[in-house]
Amino acid sequence: MLHQPKDIEKLFPLRSTDVVARLRVQLPDAPINSHTFQAIIFKNKIREDAQLHYRVEVANMSLFSEKVVDLIVQKARLPDWLRNARNSYAAHLREQRERRKMRKDGK
């Protein structure tokens, strides 16, 4: 099977800052910032969806498709959706800190 080369710049034209800027315009009343965007990515497993996310390993950079903005705008209108994403991400970060502390303490 031959793999068709993808035009990454056309399929994934947005960086995180671009997505956040667009979300702020489309959701002016929502508390959107880079932390909230990371929470959304985590909670909704966006990095695992090849139609929404592309990882440029050499540059250590994530790129996103236009579809990710549409998806987030649609879901952000659901009650407590953003809050649930932030809460899940906060719990994940707490667990990571605890694991690192346990490794450091030798437990």
Side-chain angles (χ1 to χ4, degrees), residues 34-96:
S34 61
H35 181 77
T36 301
F37 181 57
Q38 293 303 316
I40 291 167
I41 289 171
F42 170 78
K43 175 74 174 170
N44 295 277
K45 299 180 176 155
I46 288 174
R47 284 192 175 99
E48 297 173 19
D49 189 330
Q51 293 183 10
L52 300 176
H53 174 260
Y54 181 79
R55 180 81 180 156
V56 182
E57 292 295 335
V58 176
N60 193 25
M61 178 174 50
S62 288
L63 299 174
F64 299 91
S65 72
E66 300 278 353
K67 294 175 189 175
V68 78
V69 175
D70 297 335
L71 173 76
I72 294 169
V73 167
Q74 178 186 22
K75 289 190 176 251
R77 294 192 170 110
L78 298 172
D80 297 325
W81 186 79
L82 285 173
R83 183 180 329 163
N84 290 339
R86 287 192 302 265
N87 289 344
S88 292
Y89 190 54
H92 168 72
L93 293 176
R94 277 192 301 276
E95 289 172 14
Q96 277 188 327

